[in-house]
Amino acid sequence: MRIGVNVLNFGPGTDPGRLRSWAQTVEGLGFDLLMVSDHVVVTPDVAAQYPAPFYEPFTTLSWLAGITSRVQLGTTVLIVPYRHPLLVARMAANLHQLSGGRLVLGVAVGWARQEFAALDVPFEQRGKLTDDALETMRAAWANEDDYRSGQIPIWVGGNSDAGIRRAVRLGDAWHPLGITLPWFREAVERLMVVAEKERRPVPRLAPRINLHLTAAPVTDPDRRAGVGTIEQIIDDLDELRRLGADAVILDPFNGDPDETRHPEAAWRALATVAAARMEQR
């Protein structure tokens, strides 16, 4: 099972130097994937959670591809309706080629109504727009010589039933975010039922979980995966592996924009996880 990190490409403490340090830390600790988020317009609803500056993911990953050599690069998640699908197909294909085949394209439909309005994209149609765009992108990669770049894995985000159906129909992996383990167990069963009904293969599992290291065990029955002591976090990763996860992305952002000014705590937590997993081996 591969382990990746959601790198903070937003917030008041983020700049090129900090992004470089994030990339060097993630690759240096031996993690398998480095992923970033996506917003185009930092409207008030976006800024409330992810304040400016917000570094555009394709631009950022292209730069980080030159700084790194081994780690896979990806989006968690690209908001598909924000860009023309042929533009996304070309940018993704070029980045995949330039990085030596390291791109993972995580996608979702989006949630920020004000951002949709600013981009003049109909919010209520975001599901259909996403489905149509993914089909267009796959067709472009398959049929146009200058789009071809080998297989770019598509991880479909979304914890809803619609997200599960989209992952089965159009994705290589299902990429739910911020999960609890009981919910995930039940959702995997739903995923398998949908795949059987659609007569399609079950997509791989690639959840994104929190990374919040605590000194004392967290006993809340609604504890999210990745929150707790290092023993709880390692147990969570082991359980996800047993449930069939092909990859797990750790998200060290706990919601305070000031964290972006002081990433050292997140880096220490990542180092603790890396060391614990090394001991397991």
Side-chain angles (χ1 to χ4, degrees), residues 3 34 61:
I3 306 293
L34 181 163
L61 291 174

Side-chain angles (χ1 to χ4, degrees), residues 136-151:
T136 298
M137 289 158 53
R138 286 197 179 278
W141 291 334
N143 299 318
E144 300 293 335
D145 288 341
D146 57 347
Y147 281 89
R148 289 179 185 168
S149 58
Q151 178 61 40

Side-chain angles (χ1 to χ4, degrees), residues 153-164:
I154 293 180
W155 293 6
V156 175
N159 295 20
S160 65
D161 289 341
I164 289 175

Side-chain angles (χ1 to χ4, degrees), residues 28-29 49 71 79 89 122-123 125-126 145 152 161 164 173 195 217 251 274:
L29 288 172
Q49 298 186 47
V71 69
I79 309 304
F123 182 82
Q125 297 181 30
R126 66 195 188 282
D145 288 341
I152 300 173
D161 289 341
I164 289 175
D251 185 357

